Amino acid sequence: MKTFNLPENINAIIFDIDSTLYTSSKYAFEQVDCQVREFARLKGISADDARKMVADYRKKYAETHNGSKVSLGNTLLSFGIPIEQSVEWRKQLLEPKDFLSYDEKLVLQLKQLSSKYKLICVTNNPVLPARKTLDAIGISEFFKDIVGLDTCYKSKPAKEPFEKALELLGCKAEECVAVGDRYDLDIALPLEMGMGGVLVNGVEDVYNLHDTLNK
């Protein structure tokens, strides 16, 4: 876990969901691969060829953007797949309960955090599968609002999802901390906006988040 510019007075936490509020390599892979397989079917190519296209694009993007990562939504957009289509694929294909289960340690941590801070999620998945994910791990009650891919039709690290989160929270950027597992997508832009940041390696780091924020 790494922290960046934590505000002196924190009023809200903006969480990423996938690979942040749970750790599941199988589900992380399936979230990407189910869409890549659908893209392959649409284009009439093999799944392996589609996987190679995605991998090659992401590699080239990193090489030309100082190592930064690019989201799958923006990758597919570069191949002519509108964000709206990506949203529909994710709604239809993602079933978090097939991969995830109730996380008692996380529930207890979020109960503690929600007693002190406002909480919201900003995710590159649509709201429906995002809400299903929170339901599967048992923490949906702590998040009144989710800013998803179909909220702004912009994929992180676009500014619009974070601006929407601030609007829903009723907070200034300087009062917030962004928590996520990918620096380029979840942390870098919030820092530019004036927020603090916590980069995690998975849910195991989130279990200790309250203590980290209150050192």
Side-chain angles (χ1 to χ4, degrees):
M1 181 192 299
K2 294 183 179 180
T3 61
F4 304 86
N5 304 331
L6 294 183
E8 186 173 339
N9 296 306
I10 302 170
N11 287 326
I13 305 173
I14 299 174
F15 282 98
D16 174 52
I17 295 179
D18 300 298
S19 297
T20 296
L21 292 174
Y22 68 84
T23 303
S24 171
S25 58
K26 288 183 179 180
Y27 186 45
F29 174 80
E30 178 61 15
Q31 284 193 67
V32 173
D33 203 60
C34 69
Q35 295 175 77
V36 174
R37 296 193 303 267
E38 199 67 12
F39 170 71
R41 185 190 63 78
L42 181 68
K43 294 297 184 181
I45 62 178
S46 72
D48 282 343
D49 284 345
R51 292 182 187 114
K52 186 175 187 304
M53 286 178 65
V54 169
D56 288 348
Y57 178 84
R58 285 179 149 177
K59 181 180 178 182
K60 185 175 181 181
Y61 183 93
E63 289 173 349
T64 56
H65 292 79
N66 296 317
S68 295
K69 296 179 181 179
V70 60
S71 70
L72 180 63
N74 285 335
T75 299
L76 292 174
L77 185 62
S78 75
F79 297 153
I81 303 299
I83 292 292
E84 291 81 1
Q85 182 62 73
S86 180
V87 165
E88 290 306 311
W89 285 350
R90 296 174 199 225
K91 286 181 178 180
Q92 295 167 15
L93 300 172
L94 295 179
E95 283 299 338
K97 64 181 176 58
D98 293 342
F99 298 86
L100 307 175
S101 59
Y102 183 82
D103 187 339
E104 184 174 1
K105 287 182 69 174
L106 184 61
V107 170
L108 292 174
Q109 178 68 194
L110 287 177
K111 184 177 290 187
Q112 190 175 20
L113 290 168
S114 66
S115 70
K116 188 170 183 178
Y117 310 110
K118 296 178 181 179
L119 308 181
I120 195 169
C121 289
V122 175
T123 175
N124 278 346
N125 269 325
V127 172
L128 177 60
R131 181 60 72 182
K132 287 182 178 180
T133 298
L134 300 185
D135 287 339
I137 54 183
I139 61 171
S140 194
E141 66 180 289
F142 302 111
F143 295 95
K144 175 186 174 185
D145 294 307
I146 298 172
V147 178
L149 186 58
D150 49 348
T151 304
C152 305
Y153 288 93
K154 293 282 187 176
S155 186
K156 291 187 291 183
K159 184 177 286 189
E160 289 87 345
F162 292 106
E163 290 177 334
K164 184 63 176 179
L166 293 176
E167 176 189 329
L168 291 168
L169 289 167
C171 291
K172 297 178 181 179
E174 294 77 13
E175 303 171 318
C176 299
V177 173
V179 178
D181 68 298
R182 300 164 299 179
Y183 182 85
D184 298 328
L185 273 63
D186 301 321
I187 307 297
L189 181 64
L191 291 179
E192 290 180 16
M193 295 171 69
M195 302 183 205
V198 179
L199 180 66
V200 300
N201 293 313
V203 71
E204 294 80 7
D205 284 342
V206 180
Y207 295 153
N208 301 309
L209 185 60
H210 184 273
D211 290 344
T212 298
L213 297 179
N214 290 276
K215 285 182 178 178

